[in-house]
Amino acid sequence: MKYSYKFSNLLGTVYHRGNVIFTPDGSRIISPVGNRLSIFDLKNNQSETLPIESNFTITCIAISPNGTTLIAVNEDGEALLCSLLSRSVLHRYHFHKPILDIKFSPDGRKFAVTKDTLIQVFHAPGPHSREFNPFVLDRTFYGAYDDTTCIDWTTDSRVFAAGSKDMNTRVYAAGTFSNLVIYGLGGHSDIINGCFFEKNSLDLYTLSQNGQLCVWECDTDLDGLIPCKAKRDLSEDELEALEATKQEVYKKGEADAKKEEEKKNTEGRILYKRLAKHSYKDLRGEGFVQMTSSAYQKQSHILVAGFSNGSFFIHEMPEFNLIHSLSISEQKITTVAFNNTGDWIGFGCAEFGQLLVWEWQSESYILKQQGHFSNMSSLAYSPDGQNIVTGGQDGKIKVWNTSNGFCFVTFTEHTSGVSCVTFNHNGQVILSASLDGTVRAFDLNRYRNFRTFTSPQPVQFASLAVDPSGEIVCAGGQDNFEIYVWSMQTGRLLDILAGHVGPVNGLCFSKTRAMLASASWDKTLRLWDIFESKGCRETINLTSDALAIAFRPDGLQLACATIDCHISFWDTVNGTLTGSIEGRKDLGGGRRETDKITAKKSREGRSFTTLCYTADGECIIAGGQSKSVCLYHVNEQILLKRFEITKNFSFDGTEEYLDRRKMTEFGNINLIEESEEGANRHIALPGVRKGDMAARHFRPDVRVTCVKFSPTGGAWAATTTEGLLIFSLDHNLVFSPFDLDVDVTPENVKKMLGAQEYLKALTLAFRLNEQLLIQEVVERIATSDGGLYRYLPK
């Protein structure tokens, strides 16, 4: 079995925070998801995640006009220059400050960045600018009294405007012009969150958070900007004229001289005039509603504005005629973007993790995706490996297509968190167990909940299992420690299995034998024969609390993970222990920002919480309260490979060592939270998963809640704090022959090489399509007489 699994896609989360952008062709939209970037192809209905990972959550992205390079900035101020052609990071640059906006100039030669009260303009790398050294600073622009929030360029890339939190907008000249250096525009009473130039003009629209829109007209066209002439030495006549002017100034007085000098300076300069001032107050409804995002399409003169109540408005400018309005969410619209034609509008809602693409002319959705807005708790592969079902703590069940990465159905019948999900034997029915006391069955043909299983008394179900025939459904209770058995056909409760004295958080059916295994916190592992004796057949005592169990595909071995971070293997026929793996050092673990102990010490309290065998049963994969997923060989009991699911330091528990920059004379700065009462931050109690969501600064803890192997063995999936991660085999190492025949074997290729029949050997190697074999043949031919060129087609 091959173990070269690599990250291939990120599902379950389509948008996290930051701005979304369209590619220059307008057919794809790029969305920041945590510390990764996802691309959604709207025409081919495909989604993919770039193999690019930042150290923190990405908050701002910008793409070059030619669509080859992309800049992503995370919340720590680190910028990544990425190539969309090679899908790799070309360069990293640290601004050391949070960046709110970044924009490429339309000609692609420069890009501007908002940094505190400054605007920094850099030379963009590429052949068009003859500048391959990335992030070369061109100029720094000053003038704002508070943080700058937004940037927009004119169509000729010579002038840009920047809005600020000081309620003013400033127009800067990217070059040197005699009639424009910097021009300030006021007229607002709140933070500026959008400024847009008109096409081929210096006319400007500015928008503020309180819903005010100002229309500014400039008396000068773009062609009217006068470049400054180069300085030269003055002649003798000019020096005499300058001296005479100084004498006249001395005679008239300094006050009159200053007035004349100001008059000369203002003459010839550009001048802005406010034509109109509009307000969204009548449109946005009652209550305190803020404008949170805006975008402008210069070709069609369409302005769209999103608000904190989930509504957006489309206006035609400059008349401010309302075209369309719609409410798409219950939370604020975080970002808005137009594609190149102006037909599609992309929306992102960070609170719910929504990503929408709306075609405003036909009033229809092009893309409508939403992930779990709370942590995912479980997953299951369909028998054919084409679909993945996930259950979350938000009570939703989503089904994802593994080929295109989209969610095609969502079930919302549960009223509490979903603890376990699974497919039946034919993959047409999804079953889910929830903390609301119900087990529900969903039909994937009609997309409906056709069966609901309940218990005589309210029970919080923590585990679920379906027998291989799909006739029996079992669920384990978290609070009454019993196992309930139902009939799938009738929905009737058949039996209640008692015996455990702790929460039953693991249930699993054997695929080859009529046997049910259950694991509990009472340090026991029980095997049940529910079809014949209807009772406990055998009880296995463990050394610690059991957290997860899994049957080997042949049903002859059972794996159990305990709270002391051990994985024990049991023979289901004799009930004997066949092996054990101690995985505490392999699981590892980071240090939380509020921990007062080291990461090595906190590792002792971590354990595996999920297990899954490979398709052949030789290996087992395990994950738990860490950022690592471990793959073990069962017979050899050794670690084959350890996968790191994330490098995002925005999550708690990813750092191995304490950051000494956060140490002050009062101790760790993370343990101190400023409040009106002056109280310190409370330390998280052991076992708390979600943390204190009421804190001002909340960082989710990184963990793996469930791992499953694909039935084909070519991929495995994990539900984590970051989302649903898919790891698959490297496509370069997959055996993919062409025009295969009986005689096309590696042995025949080597025979042809030995007989010096190089052309036949090269042909057979290409048909086998194995990289190492092709390389061996090419190297042998290259050292022969005549070289390789003799055997290639002319």
Side-chain angles (χ1 to χ4, degrees):
M1 181 180 177
K2 297 179 179 178
Y3 310 110
S4 57
Y5 292 96
K6 293 184 178 180
F7 173 79
S8 60
N9 206 353
L10 174 62
L11 309 182
T13 309
V14 294
Y15 173 73
H16 187 259
R17 59 180 294 193
N19 63 308
V20 298
I21 54 175
F22 282 91
T23 54
D25 58 0
S27 62
R28 296 183 297 170
I29 187 171
I30 303 177
S31 171
V33 183
N35 65 333
R36 302 180 186 269
L37 294 172
S38 295
I39 301 178
F40 299 91
D41 193 338
L42 304 177
K43 291 187 177 180
N44 299 322
N45 196 31
Q46 291 285 333
S47 72
E48 60 176 337
T49 304
L50 297 178
I52 296 170
E53 193 172 5
S54 175
N55 293 330
F56 291 89
T57 300
I58 296 175
T59 58
C60 187
I61 57 176
I63 189 171
S64 61
N66 58 6
T68 58
T69 57
L70 180 141
I71 298 177
V73 186
N74 58 31
E75 62 184 10
D76 194 44
E78 183 186 19
L80 279 68
L81 178 63
C82 310
S83 171
L84 296 180
L85 300 179
S86 63
R87 299 174 182 272
S88 60
V89 178
L90 303 178
H91 185 71
R92 294 176 184 264
Y93 183 86
H94 214 301
F95 290 103
H96 301 287
K97 293 288 183 179
I99 303 300
L100 297 181
D101 196 10
I102 180 171
K103 289 285 179 62
F104 274 91
S105 61
D107 60 1
R109 296 179 179 272
K110 297 179 181 180
F111 62 89
V113 180
T114 63
K115 180 181 177 181
D116 285 344
T117 61
L118 311 176
I119 301 291
Q120 291 185 336
V121 177
F122 292 83
H123 289 289
H128 53 271
S129 62
R130 297 182 180 179
E131 184 64 63
F132 293 93
N133 189 13
F135 291 93
V136 176
L137 182 62
D138 180 29
R139 289 180 63 185
T140 301
F141 296 87
Y142 302 86
Y145 296 99
D146 207 339
D147 293 346
T148 49
T149 57
C150 54
I151 300 173
D152 190 52
W153 290 83
T154 55
T155 51
D156 63 351
S157 305
R158 296 194 297 169
V159 178
F160 67 91
S164 175
K165 290 183 179 180
D166 61 4
M167 301 177 290
N168 292 321
T169 305
R170 292 167 180 84
V171 181
Y172 296 92
T176 54
F177 302 105
S178 60
N179 55 347
L180 175 62
V181 177
I182 179 173
Y183 197 102
L185 301 173
H188 289 279
S189 58
D190 207 343
I191 298 174
I192 306 295
N193 65 356
C195 57
F196 307 101
F197 280 106
E198 192 60 84
K199 182 181 179 182
N200 297 325
S201 174
L202 287 173
D203 296 345
L204 190 66
Y205 305 110
T206 58
L207 299 95
S208 58
Q209 280 189 1
N210 58 359
Q212 293 180 350
L213 167 65
C214 292
V215 181
W216 303 90
E217 183 186 31
C218 183
D219 62 349
T220 306
D221 296 331
L222 289 175
D223 298 335
L225 295 176
I226 305 172
C228 291
K229 296 181 181 180
K231 294 183 179 180
R232 59 182 178 82
D233 296 334
L234 299 177
S235 62
E236 294 182 359
D237 297 337
E238 291 175 339
L239 289 174
E240 293 179 357
L242 182 61
E243 187 65 27
T245 304
K246 290 182 180 180
Q247 294 295 333
E248 292 180 3
V249 170
Y250 181 74
K251 293 179 181 179
K252 291 182 179 179
E254 294 182 359
D256 297 338
K258 287 183 179 180
K259 292 181 180 179
E260 290 186 4
E261 186 177 356
E262 291 177 359
K263 186 177 181 181
K264 289 181 180 179
N265 291 334
T266 55
E267 289 179 356
R269 297 293 181 92
I270 68 169
L271 181 64
Y272 273 95
K273 177 184 177 183
R274 191 175 72 185
L275 292 182
K277 187 175 183 180
H278 307 283
S279 177
Y280 286 89
K281 184 177 181 180
D282 298 333
L283 301 175
R284 61 189 180 186
E286 299 179 356
F288 183 72
V289 181
Q290 283 188 333
M291 181 188 296
T292 55
S293 57
S294 57
Y296 183 67
Q297 224 292 328
K298 298 182 181 181
Q299 282 75 17
S300 56
H301 308 286
I302 301 298
L303 175 68
V304 58
F307 289 84
S308 58
N309 59 357
S311 61
F312 71 92
F313 301 92
I314 301 176
H315 287 84
E316 183 183 7
M317 301 303 293
E319 292 82 9
F320 198 67
N321 297 326
L322 180 63
I323 299 177
H324 185 69
S325 64
L326 186 69
S327 179
I328 59 174
S329 178
E330 297 178 357
Q331 297 293 331
K332 69 175 182 179
I333 300 176
T334 311
T335 178
V336 179
F338 272 103
N339 70 336
N340 58 345
T341 60
D343 298 329
W344 295 346
I345 308 175
F347 298 95
C349 302
E351 297 292 335
F352 286 163
Q354 290 178 321
L355 181 64
L356 309 172
V357 178
W358 174 263
E359 188 175 30
W360 62 273
Q361 292 178 342
S362 62
E363 299 183 6
S364 60
Y365 284 108
I366 304 299
L367 174 70
K368 187 177 182 181
Q369 290 288 304
Q370 179 180 351
H372 293 274
F373 57 84
S374 187
N375 291 336
M376 287 181 285
S377 56
S378 60
L379 75 97
Y381 267 100
S382 61
D384 57 359
Q386 294 297 319
N387 299 324
I388 297 178
V389 58
T390 58
Q393 295 177 2
D394 54 359
K396 293 184 179 181
I397 298 171
K398 290 180 175 290
V399 186
W400 307 83
N401 190 307
T402 57
S403 59
N404 59 22
F406 286 112
C407 173
F408 61 89
V409 63
T410 302
F411 300 105
T412 59
E413 279 77 8
H414 283 294
T415 58
S416 186
V418 178
S419 56
C420 190
V421 291
T422 185
F423 278 93
N424 69 340
H425 66 288
N426 59 7
Q428 299 299 318
V429 177
I430 296 174
L431 290 106
S432 62
S434 173
L435 299 179
D436 62 1
T438 61
V439 175
R440 298 178 182 268
F442 301 93
D443 185 3
L444 282 184
N445 292 323
R446 299 182 180 180
Y447 298 144
R448 63 186 181 92
N449 176 210
F450 70 92
R451 191 85 71 222
T452 302
F453 308 95
T454 57
S455 57
Q457 293 86 22
V459 179
Q460 290 184 335
F461 294 113
S463 54
L464 178 68
V466 182
D467 75 317
S469 65
E471 298 294 331
I472 301 297
V473 180
C474 299
Q478 183 174 289
D479 46 3
N480 65 352
F481 319 143
E482 295 176 340
I483 302 173
Y484 296 84
V485 184
W486 294 279
S487 170
M488 174 67 82
Q489 295 293 334
T490 62
R492 187 169 59 91
L493 181 65
L494 300 178
D495 198 1
I496 300 178
L497 306 179
H500 283 294
V501 293
V504 182
N505 58 347
L507 283 178
C508 188
F509 268 103
S510 173
K511 294 184 178 180
T512 58
R513 305 173 62 191
M515 183 187 301
L516 173 69
S518 63
S520 174
W521 288 6
D522 59 3
K523 301 181 181 180
T524 60
L525 189 67
R526 294 177 182 264
L527 301 178
W528 310 81
D529 195 345
I530 61 176
F531 294 99
E532 296 181 4
S533 61
K534 294 185 179 181
C536 180
R537 198 183 75 173
E538 189 167 356
T539 301
I540 300 174
N541 293 318
L542 305 173
T543 58
S544 186
D545 299 355
L547 299 180
I549 56 172
F551 265 108
R552 201 168 64 182
D554 59 3
L556 300 178
Q557 190 182 73
L558 181 67
C560 178
T562 54
I563 201 171
D564 58 356
C565 207
H566 279 74
I567 302 176
S568 55
F569 301 96
W570 301 86
D571 187 352
T572 58
V573 178
N574 302 321
T576 58
L577 181 67
T578 60
S580 177
I581 296 175
E582 203 279 327
R584 181 162 292 156
K585 294 183 179 180
D586 302 330
L587 182 62
R591 179 170 182 166
R592 298 179 183 176
E593 62 178 9
T594 57
D595 281 348
K596 294 187 176 181
I597 57 176
T598 61
K600 184 179 180 180
K601 189 68 177 177
S602 65
R603 186 188 306 163
E604 299 178 2
R606 301 180 186 271
S607 56
F608 292 116
T609 58
T610 174
L611 298 172
C612 184
Y613 274 96
T614 57
D616 55 3
E618 293 183 358
C619 303
I620 191 170
I621 192 168
Q625 303 165 352
S626 174
K627 61 180 179 179
S628 300
V629 175
C630 302
L631 182 64
Y632 293 98
H633 195 281
V634 176
N635 295 331
E636 301 294 336
Q637 299 178 9
I638 58 174
L639 177 68
L640 296 177
K641 195 168 185 179
R642 183 169 63 182
F643 304 92
E644 190 174 295
I645 60 172
T646 183
K647 297 179 181 178
N648 192 356
F649 292 113
S650 297
F651 293 137
D652 208 1
T654 53
E655 296 186 17
E656 295 290 338
Y657 303 100
L658 183 65
D659 191 353
R660 297 191 178 274
R661 291 174 297 181
K662 297 180 180 179
M663 293 298 296
T664 64
E665 58 180 337
F666 304 104
N668 187 1
I669 196 173
N670 292 319
L671 297 176
I672 304 172
E673 182 178 4
E674 295 181 0
S675 61
E676 295 180 0
E677 294 81 8
N680 293 338
R681 176 180 293 187
H682 296 287
I683 308 301
L685 296 176
V688 176
R689 295 183 179 182
K690 294 184 178 180
D692 186 9
M693 293 187 178
R696 292 186 179 133
H697 181 59
F698 171 67
R699 293 178 64 188
D701 193 7
V702 59
R703 63 178 61 242
V704 180
T705 55
C706 187
V707 291
K708 294 292 181 181
F709 254 100
S710 171
T712 60
W716 60 270
T719 54
T720 66
T721 310
E722 197 170 26
L724 176 61
L725 302 177
I726 308 294
F727 287 78
S728 60
L729 291 173
D730 190 1
H731 298 290
N732 296 328
L733 301 178
V734 175
F735 177 63
S736 179
F738 172 74
D739 195 13
L740 194 62
D741 199 358
V742 179
D743 299 331
V744 183
T745 60
E747 290 78 12
N748 288 340
V749 173
K750 294 181 180 180
K751 287 181 181 179
M752 294 297 177
L753 284 177
Q756 295 186 356
E757 295 183 6
Y758 298 122
L759 183 58
K760 292 183 179 180
L762 185 61
T763 305
L764 293 179
F766 277 128
R767 289 170 66 182
L768 277 173
N769 198 19
E770 284 192 355
Q771 184 178 358
L772 295 178
L773 189 61
I774 294 174
Q775 182 179 354
E776 181 182 356
V777 174
V778 170
E779 289 176 353
R780 288 282 298 275
I781 296 176
T783 57
S784 63
D785 295 336
L788 181 63
Y789 69 92
R790 291 179 54 190
Y791 304 96
L792 295 179
K794 296 181 181 180

